Amino acid sequence: MREYKYFLILLLLIAFSTQAQTKVYTGTVLDEAKFPIPGVNVLEKGTNNGVSTDFDGNFKISTNEKAVLVFSYIGYSNFETQVKGQTKLNIVLKSEATSLNEIVLIGYGSQKKKDVTSAISNIKVKDVSSRPIVNAVEAMTGKAAGVQVASSSGSPGGTISVRIRGMGSPNGGEPLYVVDGVLTSNVKGIDPNNIESINVLKDASAAGIYGAAGSTNGVVLITTKKGKKGKSTTAINYYGGFQQIVRKLPVLNNSQWFDLQKEILGTDPGVPNYYDLAGTNNNWQDLIYRNAAQSSVNVNTSGGSDTGTYYLGIGHLKQEGIIRESNFERYSANLSVNQDVNKSIKMGGSINYDRTNQRSIKDNASANFGGVVLSALVTPEYIPIKMPSNAPIPGVYGVSNYYSGENPISLIYNNTNKTIGNNFLGNAFVEAKLSNNITYRNQINGVVQNSKYDYFLNPSSSLVGRSTQGGGDSTFYEVFRWQWDNTINYKESFGEHSFDVIFGTSAMNESISKSTQHGAGFATSAIETLNAASSDFRIGTSQYDWSTNSYFGRINYGYGDRYLFTATFRRDGSSRVGKNVVNGNFPALSAGWKVSNEKFMEDVKWMQNLKIRAGWGKTGNLPPYTMLYPSYSLLNAGAPYAYNSTDIAPGIKPAAQLGNPDLKWESATQTNLGVEVGFLDNRLNLTVDYYHKKVEDMIFTLQLPMTSGSSIIAMNLPGSDINKGIEFAIDAKIIDKKNFGWNSNFNFSKNDNKIVGLDSNSTFQTGPILVAGSQVPLYTQVIKNGYPLGTFWGYKSEGVDPQTGNLVYSNEMMNLGSALPKYTFGFTNEFTSNGISLSFLIDGVQGNKIYNTPRMEIEALSGYANESVEVLNRWQKPGDITSVPRALGNGTTNTAAATMLQNRVSSNYIEDGSFVRLKNITLSYQIENEFTKRIGLTGFKVFATAQNLVTLHNYKGYYPEVNGDGQGTNNQAQNAGSGSSLMSLGVDKGTYPSSKTFTMGINVQL
C-alpha cells in the first residue's frame, strides 16, 4: 500500500512539472504590408503539434518554452522562432524573392508564373505611393524590358506614350489597356494608389486572346486593389512638393538684339519712343516659368469576411504647371465588392470614377499661332508686358512694332483653355461553379467618358482680341461603351496531365457624340459664355457608332510539370473596317519546357528553374478613330440649290473622307523565343527574349490631291512594318540579411524597325511643322521602303561656307536618322535596413534623333524676333570658321535665296535624342514600435522623393524626351472624326518642358 502511495505522489510531481513547462502561446501572422494571413501553418518543429491561423491571422498553440515554431504558407518564405521569453508572438512573413507560385494575369484568366509560356512582364507597383505619379502608366517607366514610357509633354495632366517592342504601325504605337477586364483608352484618371498590379502582354501568344482590339501594340493589364479577408484596415497616403523647369534656354538681351538688327539692316532699327529701351528688360522665360506646387492624398479602407470582401479608395491630386496658369486637378474614387452568394455562386464588381479639371496653355505651335513656349524665346526683351499710356493703343498686352506675334504673358492671360472631364469605368460579374471543374462567368463592362472644353479670347486686352471682338468655343465629347463577356473555364488534373481550357464570347458597342459651338463679338470679358457673343455663330454636331462581335478560346496543357503547351484562337468582326472585310481570324501557339524538372538535371545545383519558351501568333489592330466609317465617302451640307424660282432644296457636297470598302485590319505576325533561369538558389534570375514582329496591311491616312474632290482616304499600305530585337532582364536579391537587404533589377532591349515591301518610288510624308509664321507645312519625316518609321528626310548640312557665310547642303534629300530609339534600358535598386529604405531608378534611351523646330525660329537670323545666344558665334566676314551662318540681311542681294536655304528641313536641326536619367530617388523610413501601436497605428512611414533629378544628354532644347503630337492611335476616341492625324515622332515644335519634382510625404496605416 505504501508503494502505491509513493507511486501516486511521483505521478503528481511529474504532472505538475509538465504543467509548469507547458504554456499557451498566442500571436498574429502578417504579410509585409501588415495584412493578416489566414491559414498559415504553425508547427512545433520535430513534432506533429500544430495549428493554423484564423481569419484575422491569429493563432494559439500549447507547447513548452524550449520549442521552436515553424511558420509556413504558400508564396512566403518559412520562418522559425523559439518561443522562450515571448508572451505574444508577432510574426511577419516575407514573400519569396522569386516565387514560382506567383499568379500572373494572362487575359481572361491567370496562370502561375512557372507555367507561363509567353512573354509577360509583371510591373512592381509597391513604390507608387511614395512617388509623385500622376498618370498610372508612368509606374512602368524603366521597369520592363521592351517597354518604353515617354512623356509627350510636361504639361500638368499631360499624356504619356507607351510603346511595347517598338512602333507597330503608322496608325500608332499605343497598347491596348484593360482595367479589371474592361477595355479602355483613358487610364490617366486612375489613381495609382488604387492599383494592385500591372502586367504587360508583349508577344502575340500572350496578347492574341484580345484579337483585333488593338493588341498589335501589346496589352497592358491593370488590376485595381481588392479587399482581403480579415479585419478592416485603413491607409492614408499624402505627399506635397514642387516642380521646377529643368533648364532655360539663353537668348539675346536688348543690346545683343539691337546689334544683330543693325547688322541685318545696315542701320539702327527704328524703335518708337513709347518703348522704354533702357528700363524694359523682360526675361520672358523668368516671367512665365515658376516653381509649381503638386500634392496628392489618398485614403483607402478594405476588409472582409469569409463570404465577401470590399475595398474603397478615394483620392485627390492637384498639379500646378511650371508655366503660369496651367494646372490639372483630379478627384477619384475606386470601389470593389465581392460576395459569395453560396458555395457555388459569387458575384461582385468594381467602379473607377474620376473627375478632372485642366487649364492648358498652347504648346507645340509656332509663336505666331499661339505657342507660349516659342513666344517666350522669340519675343524681344524690350517689349513691355502691356503697352504704355503714350502708345497708339495703351493698356493692351505688349507687341513689337516689328514682330507680329503676341508676347507670352498675353498668350497665357488673354485667353482661357479649360477642360472638365468625367471618366467612369466599371464592371459587374456573376461566377458560378457548374461542377468541381467547370466555372461560368458573366461580366458586363461599361465605360463613360465625357469632356467639356471651353475657350475664351478676351475682346479688349490684346490686339488680336480687339480685331475679332473676342471669341469663344465650346466643345463637348461623350463616349459610351458597353461590353458583354461570357466565358466557360474548365480545369482538370489527373496523373501527370493538367488542363486549363477557356471558351468565350465578347460583344462590344461604342457610341461617340460630339458638338461644337463658336461665337465672336463679345462686348465685355465679364461674361465668357457663348450667350454673350453677337456674331460669327457656328454650330456643329456629329454622332459615331461602331461595334465588334468576337469568339475566342484558349487551351493550356501541362505534362509532368515539364512540358507546357498553349493554343489561342480569336475571331473578330467589326464595323470599323471595310464592309468587304468584316471578319478577321487571330490564332496563337506557344510552348514551354521546364528543363530543370528533368531527371538529368537532378544533380545540377548551380542553376534552378531553367525554362525555354517559344511562341507564334497573330494579332490585329482597328483603323484609327479619325475614320469610323472608312467604307463610305462622307457628305457635308452645302449651299442651298434652286430647282426653279420657288423650289429651294438643301445642298450637299463631298466631305473630306473618301470611302474604301476594302480597308482591312492591320495584322501582326509575331514570333518569340525566350529563356528563364535562376542562379544562387533563385536569388539571381535572368530572362532573355528574342522577337520578330511583322505588321501587314498597315493603315495609313493618305492626303489626296484636290482634284479627287476629297482630301483624305484610309488605305492599307502594300508593305510591312518589321520590328525585331532582343531583350533581357535580371532580377537579383544581392543581399538578404536580417538587418540589411539589397534588391536590384536591370533590363535592356534592342529594337530594329524597318518598312519593307513598299514600292521604292513611293514616299509618304509625315511630321509636318509650321515655321516663321507660314501656314504651309514642311514635312520632316517620311514612310519609305527600307527605312524605319519616324525617319527624318531632308538635306544634309555640310557646314557654313567660310567665304559666303551661307549653309551648304547636299544636292539630294536623304535619311537623316530615326526618332525611334535603338536601345532602351532601366536600372532599379532598393536598399533596406531597420525600416529605412533607399531606392532609385535610372532609365534611358539611345540611338534616336530629335527635330529641333524651335532652333529654326531662334537661329533664323532673318527677322525681328529674338534669337538664341548661339547666333553670337555667327559668320560675319569672309574667312570666319563657324557652324552658325551669317545674318541674312547684310544689305546683299541674295537674302531670299539664303533664307530659303536656311529654313529647309536639314540635318542642321536634327540632334541626338539619347539620354541617361536618374528618373526617381526615394528615401523612406517605416516606423513600427510600441508607441505607434499604443496610438492605434499598425505602421507609419515618412518619405522624400526627387523625380528627373539628373538627366545627361546633348540636346539643345529644353528636354530630350520629345514624343511630338498628332500620331494616330486606335485608342483615342476623343479625336473621333477629327480628320487626318499624321504621325509626328520626335518632333519638338515648342513642347511644354518637363520638370524636376521634389516631394515629401507620409503613409499612415491604421
Side-chain angles (χ1 to χ4, degrees), residues 428-462:
F429 72 88
V430 175
E431 189 172 282
K433 292 183 178 180
L434 304 181
S435 69
N436 291 332
N437 301 316
I438 299 178
T439 303
Y440 166 72
R441 184 182 178 95
N442 183 316
Q443 179 166 318
I444 295 290
N445 304 323
V447 175
V448 180
Q449 301 171 352
N450 63 53
S451 66
K452 186 177 185 294
Y453 167 76
D454 289 300
Y455 169 82
F456 178 74
L457 174 64
N458 191 300
S460 58
S461 61
S462 71

Side-chain angles (χ1 to χ4, degrees), residues 226-244:
K226 306 294 185 290
K228 297 182 179 180
K229 295 180 179 180
K231 64 181 181 180
S232 297
T233 60
T234 300
I236 302 171
N237 193 77
Y238 169 82
Y239 72 76
F242 68 94
Q243 310 152 83
Q244 62 180 208

Side-chain angles (χ1 to χ4, degrees), residues 166 264 325 376 661 754 817 962:
I264 292 175
E325 294 299 297
K754 183 183 290 187
V962 176

Side-chain angles (χ1 to χ4, degrees), residues 1-10:
M1 186 70 179
R2 183 178 297 177
E3 289 80 2
Y4 287 114
K5 181 178 180 180
Y6 291 141
F7 181 70
L8 289 173
I9 293 173
L10 180 61

Side-chain angles (χ1 to χ4, degrees), residues 591-610:
W593 179 24
K594 298 181 183 178
V595 182
S596 292
N597 289 354
E598 296 286 359
K599 289 186 177 181
F600 61 79
M601 295 289 290
E602 289 180 351
D603 296 329
V604 178
K605 303 301 181 183
W606 58 273
M607 177 175 62
Q608 300 83 39
N609 301 314
L610 173 62

